[in-house]
Structure formats: C-alpha cells, structure tokens
Amino acid sequence: MSKGVKNSRHRLRIASQVICLVGFLWLFLVTEYRGVDQLPYPVSLLFRIDPLAALADFLAPGDFGWQLLWPALLLLVLTAVVGRFFCGWICPLGTTLDGLGRIIGRGNRQLGAGWRRFKYILLFSLTTAALFGVQLFGLFDPLSIFLRSLTFAVYPAYNLFLNRLFDLSYGSDIPVVSPLLNGAYPFFRDNLMAFHQPYFQLALFTFAVFVLIVLLEKVDRRFWCKYVCPLGGLLGLCSSRTLLERTPASVCNDCSLCGSRCRSRAVTDQGYRKQECFLCLDCVDDCPDDRVSYRWSLQPTAAAGIDLGRRHVAGAIACGALVAPVVRITPDPTRYDSFLIRPPGAVDEAEFLRRCIRCGECMKVCIGGALHPAFLQAGASGLWTPLLVARLGYCEYNCTLCGQVCPTGAIRELKLEQKKKEVIGLAVIDKNRCLPYARSEECLVCEEHCPTAEKAIVFERKEVLVNSEVRILKFPKVVKKRCIGCGICETKCPVEGRSAILTTNEGESRRQRNAIDSGGYG
C-alpha cells in the first residue's frame, strides 16, 4: 500500500477528531444567552449520543426520554457492528488527551490485565448502584468530565483573559494592535464570550481532577480510556463480536511494531482484543509490509478479550449493591438544609439525583449566575449537581434556559408562564440584619427588585423614634403565597457579608406543601 494512502487514512481520523471537537466546542459556546429566551441549536447533542446518560435516564424513575436519547442507542448499535470507533474518532476527551499528550509527553508503561478489568468493574458497580437508587455515572462519564471542566474552569478563565485583553486595548492606544482588537470585540462579545463573566464554586477542584486525568498520560497513553472510563467499558462490551475483523489476529512473529505502537494495547501476542480497540487504524499505517487490514465478515470470530472472571463481576455487583444503601441511609439533605435549592423545573430530589449526570450545562447557561456545583451540600451522591446560591446570583424571572439544555429530564423544560409560577423557595427576612429593623435606616432594595407580577415583598409603615425624632419607616414583609424563591432580593441586598434576606427551599413546587407553607406573611 502506498505511503500516500496510509497518510490519508491517518489524516482522515485526525480530521474527524478535530471536526468533532470543534463542533462540540461550538455547541458549548452557543449554550449561552444571546438576547432571547430560546436556544436555536441542539446544544445538548453531546449528551444525546452518550450511552451513559441514556443508561442513567433508563434506570431512573419515570419514562425514558426516547425523543432526546435515541442517538445514544444508535451509537450502541453501531458499536456492536463496527467497534469502539467513538473512542478513536469522536470522543472529545479522547481527542483532548491525544493533543495534550503530545505536549506533555506520553508514558509507555504496560500495566497488567487487572488494570484493564477496572473500567468494566466500575461500570458494573455503577449500574448496580443505579438499580438500587444511587446514580453516580456522572462522576466518571468522560463527556460530563469534559463539559464540566470547560464550564467551571477553562471557559471562565478564557473569558476573564479576553475581558482583560479588550479592557487593556480600549484603555491604551497601541499602534496596529488596539484598532484590530477594538474592531474584533463586537464579534467576540456576541459570539465567543459569556453574557457575563462566569464564576463558579469548585472551579479549582474541577480543574484539578481534569489535570490529573491529563497527567495520567505520563504513565501510559490514553490511560483514562484504557483503564478507567466506564463508557469505554460499556462500548467494549458491545463490541466484543463486531463484524469488522482484523487480519492478522495478533502481532507477527518477525515484527511487533503494531503492538508496541497501539494506543489502546489491543494488539498483543495472545491475539486481537476487539473490545479494547479504538479503531484508530494506526496499525495498518505502521505495518512495514502491508500485512494488516480490516475486513467485514458476517461470521465474526471470538476475539481475545479481557477475562473478567466471575469473582470480579460478582464483586463489582456486590460493591454497587452495598454502596447504594449506605448512601441512601444518610439523612435527606432537603430535610435539614434549608438552603439546598434546585433550579426551577427540577424533579423530586430522589429522582433528580438519579437523573442528573453532573454535566454542568444548566450552570453554564444560567443568566443570573445563580447555579453552582454542589460539594457535600446535597450529600455524597450530589457532588457537582446544581444548586442555587442566591447571594452569588439569582434566577432570572424571564428565563427558561436551564430546562432547555438538560439532557436527561432532571430539570423539566417549562414554558415561560409555567416557570413564573414555579416555586423553588421562599425569602425570609433576618430582622437582626435588615436595615429598617436593626438600624432604623430606610432601605427599599428588596421590594424594588422583586420581579413577581404582584410584589412578593410589601411594606408596612410604622412610626419609630430615631435620634429623639419620630419618623415613619417602611418595614419589608414577605408574602409567602407570592414568593417563588428566585433569590434576587438576597443577591441585591446591600448589607455586606451575609444578606439580610435569605432564600430557603421552603414551599418548593416539587414537594407537597404543608399547612404552614400555605400562604400569609413571613
């Protein structure tokens, strides 16, 4: 085979990886408020083709989201026919590891077969735990890791850098450079930058996890993909008897070049491991004598695989079955944490934790900067799930974007009129800090910003004695039956530090209200 044909095959794969990565990054950038409350593109496409997201949705209570997640099932069918092409040609995390691996250098440590089993054991454990009511796929899903790292760390840093760069350009007159940057700013502002500078809790922690995954490349090439990735394990199980056959079925006796260079270590002396192969086709290009080829066969042979062993599978299932009840017997955070507030449209907490795959899409698109990733506020199984932190941001009254981007139905898509009636909490006044109550100083901020049609914050006029002078002050009151818990009053409260008006999860629509929550004044 000519060298030109080989190079064209290699370039085709690289082009596919780059095009897919650029496409996903473009979808990521357009997952942004651009002046209208409607996203024109299927911004959650990356998770619509994610089999782990489909598995999480399938194992959660309620109906399976066929309309959104059918591409993930199609990917599994194609994998069963062709093999793990997704890992070698499409996966954005895999492409990122390939690119960064070239920069930081790659290790070549060949780990034992036991390491290969780990991703399958992890998959079995996670699936069993999900069956018993605890969904943790999102913690290990490579697509969630990729989007999460972009949302919480990379994109905010990129946006901050551009803001500083354009500020510097506008603030100084640098010949040639300033006119170019000033002319480019409107395009960047409208297409490639955030509506407001994003800040997120857990940014450093999330970035540290991503860096750790990248640094594993120093141990072995595509370490995460070969040894840890549960999505790779699922795709591997589907591709154990694909119709695409490799010839020869193992490395040749007089040459082992393809085996030593294989990025997935799928070609060995013992045979060809179909379920481990990323179908990068580098072995075809690397063969000096053109012996390696791939062909279709309607009678696939049983290829050499990873011996999972009954004990390992049973142990993985037992581990998942044990983890689930241990997690579930911990106290329900919604019962003791009044500040555990979910986005509008979120389903009941138990179902929410089983559907949310921690992708960060809802937090990325939040106009008011209200949604932040949880650490332990929602329990051990709630890591990276979205919380509303009202002191840092508020839920925009005329926004429904978070429900539009959720790929698994953890946040229901609401019409604007529905959303305006959706209660996610209740504002409560701290009279020890509120200026009129604590200092006899007039303040109207909370009432001015309240967005509901009938103000949820009203005033009572009272006569008070201030410096031996009788004055009439307005004292704010919260009308429970009007308050939706958007948090804007807490965000805008001028009191330094902890706000004088706090947003709690009392009376949220996704839970049945009790008699105390029925209405009246706070």
Side-chain angles (χ1 to χ4, degrees):
M1 188 178 296
S2 68
K3 186 176 180 179
V5 174
K6 291 185 177 184
N7 288 337
S8 65
R9 186 188 297 108
H10 177 77
R11 286 196 293 265
L12 179 62
R13 178 178 58 80
I14 298 298
S16 173
Q17 288 184 290
V18 171
I19 290 171
C20 290
L21 180 61
V22 170
F24 293 137
L25 290 176
W26 177 76
L27 287 174
F28 176 82
L29 287 172
V30 298
T31 308
E32 186 72 51
Y33 175 72
R34 300 295 181 191
V36 293
D37 184 45
Q38 188 68 41
L39 296 172
Y41 305 102
V43 294
S44 60
L45 176 63
L46 183 59
F47 294 97
R48 296 185 188 184
I49 62 174
D50 183 1
L52 284 186
L55 185 57
D57 189 43
F58 178 75
L59 296 177
D63 297 332
F64 179 72
W66 294 100
Q67 291 182 332
L68 288 179
L69 295 171
W70 65 264
L73 304 182
L74 178 60
L75 175 61
L76 291 179
V77 173
L78 292 175
T79 301
V81 175
V82 180
R84 285 175 62 180
F85 69 96
F86 180 83
C87 302
W89 293 69
I90 299 175
C91 179
L93 183 60
T95 301
T96 303
L97 293 177
D98 280 342
L100 294 180
R102 286 178 173 268
I103 298 173
I104 67 172
R106 300 181 178 118
N108 194 33
R109 185 175 301 174
Q110 298 191 31
L111 303 179
W115 285 85
R116 293 276 186 175
R117 297 191 194 101
F118 182 77
K119 62 178 175 291
Y120 299 103
I121 291 172
L122 180 61
L123 174 66
F124 294 146
S125 295
L126 294 176
T127 303
T128 305
L131 282 169
F132 281 85
V134 175
Q135 188 269 110
L136 301 173
F137 289 117
L139 302 182
F140 301 95
D141 182 4
L143 306 187
S144 292
I145 291 171
F146 177 75
L147 260 295
R148 207 161 50 219
S149 302
L150 283 179
T151 299
F152 301 152
V154 178
Y155 185 61
Y158 151 86
N159 202 79
L160 183 63
F161 169 78
L162 287 182
N163 276 321
R164 295 293 183 267
L165 181 63
F166 286 121
D167 287 344
L168 177 64
S169 174
Y170 274 96
S172 57
D173 188 13
I174 306 173
V176 181
V177 176
S178 290
L180 285 175
L181 289 176
N182 295 345
Y185 175 69
F187 174 78
F188 275 81
R189 179 197 61 203
D190 297 338
N191 299 280
L192 301 178
M193 294 175 66
F195 177 68
H196 56 77
Q197 172 59 44
Y199 297 96
F200 290 103
Q201 297 176 337
L202 297 191
L204 183 59
F205 174 67
T206 305
F207 186 65
V209 172
F210 175 72
V211 170
L212 176 62
I213 293 173
V214 173
L215 290 179
L216 288 174
E217 290 290 289
K218 300 287 289 184
V219 179
D220 193 10
R221 189 177 189 182
R222 285 282 196 112
F223 184 100
W224 171 269
C225 310
K226 286 189 285 194
Y227 304 117
V228 184
C229 181
L231 177 57
L234 178 58
L235 296 178
L237 292 176
C238 292
S239 61
S240 59
R241 295 185 68 88
T242 63
L243 303 183
L244 196 61
E245 298 281 350
R246 181 187 186 274
T247 304
S250 62
V251 296
C252 301
N253 294 329
D254 60 336
C255 176
S256 59
L257 191 61
C258 59
S260 62
R261 293 187 178 180
C262 180
R263 72 184 61 217
S264 60
R265 306 255 189 236
V267 184
T268 68
D269 295 332
Q270 290 75 37
Y272 169 57
R273 300 166 176 162
K274 281 185 177 181
Q275 67 269 46
E276 296 294 304
C277 179
F278 300 157
L279 287 180
C280 65
L281 304 182
D282 284 351
C283 57
V284 181
D285 295 346
D286 292 336
C287 183
D289 298 319
D290 296 335
R291 301 173 185 172
V292 180
S293 64
Y294 285 82
R295 59 182 176 81
W296 295 102
S297 174
L298 296 179
Q299 295 181 336
T301 58
I306 302 299
D307 182 15
L308 297 178
R310 293 181 180 178
R311 287 184 300 172
H312 295 102
V313 174
I317 294 174
C319 180
L322 180 62
V323 166
V326 170
V327 171
R328 295 188 69 182
I329 61 175
T330 57
D332 180 3
T334 59
R335 301 287 295 174
Y336 63 81
D337 187 353
S338 299
F339 304 102
L340 178 58
I341 303 172
R342 298 299 190 185
V347 295
D348 180 72
E349 183 67 13
E351 183 180 352
F352 181 83
L353 290 175
R354 295 183 68 177
R355 288 189 176 277
C356 178
I357 56 171
R358 290 80 168 163
C359 63
E361 291 269 47
C362 57
M363 291 171 262
K364 164 73 167 60
V365 82
C366 181
I367 299 176
L371 298 181
H372 290 261
F375 185 51
L376 295 177
Q377 299 95 322
S381 63
L383 179 63
W384 281 309
T385 56
L387 297 177
L388 188 143
V389 184
R391 194 52 171 154
L392 300 178
Y394 60 94
C395 180
E396 169 58 46
Y397 190 59
N398 293 300
C399 172
T400 64
L401 297 181
C402 58
Q404 294 179 41
V405 300
C406 182
T408 60
I411 304 174
R412 294 173 290 114
E413 184 174 356
L414 302 175
K415 299 295 184 183
L416 185 56
E417 289 307 312
Q418 290 178 284
K419 191 265 181 177
K420 289 180 177 181
K421 299 176 183 178
E422 187 82 0
V423 178
I424 59 175
L426 174 69
V428 179
I429 296 173
D430 182 351
K431 295 182 179 180
N432 292 319
R433 295 182 61 79
C434 182
L435 296 180
Y437 288 102
R439 305 181 192 175
S440 297
E441 298 177 7
E442 189 160 283
C443 179
L444 311 176
V445 173
C446 56
E447 189 271 346
E448 288 177 341
H449 284 92
C450 182
T452 55
E454 286 188 272
K455 292 284 187 178
I457 298 178
V458 297
F459 290 118
E460 287 186 348
R461 298 172 181 267
K462 294 181 181 180
E463 291 185 351
V464 295
L465 187 63
V466 181
N467 296 327
S468 302
E469 178 185 351
V470 177
R471 295 175 56 189
I472 297 178
L473 279 183
K474 295 179 179 179
F475 292 85
K477 294 282 186 179
V478 177
V479 183
K480 288 185 179 180
K481 62 184 178 181
R482 299 177 189 170
C483 182
I484 59 174
C486 68
I488 191 171
C489 52
E490 182 175 345
T491 306
K492 302 297 183 179
C493 178
V495 175
E496 294 186 4
R498 185 168 60 87
S499 173
I501 186 166
L502 305 174
T503 310
T504 70
N505 59 16
E506 181 181 341
E508 55 185 357
S509 295
R510 63 183 188 146
R511 288 190 291 169
Q512 185 176 2
R513 300 189 185 194
N514 56 37
I516 298 177
D517 297 327
S518 59
Y521 288 91

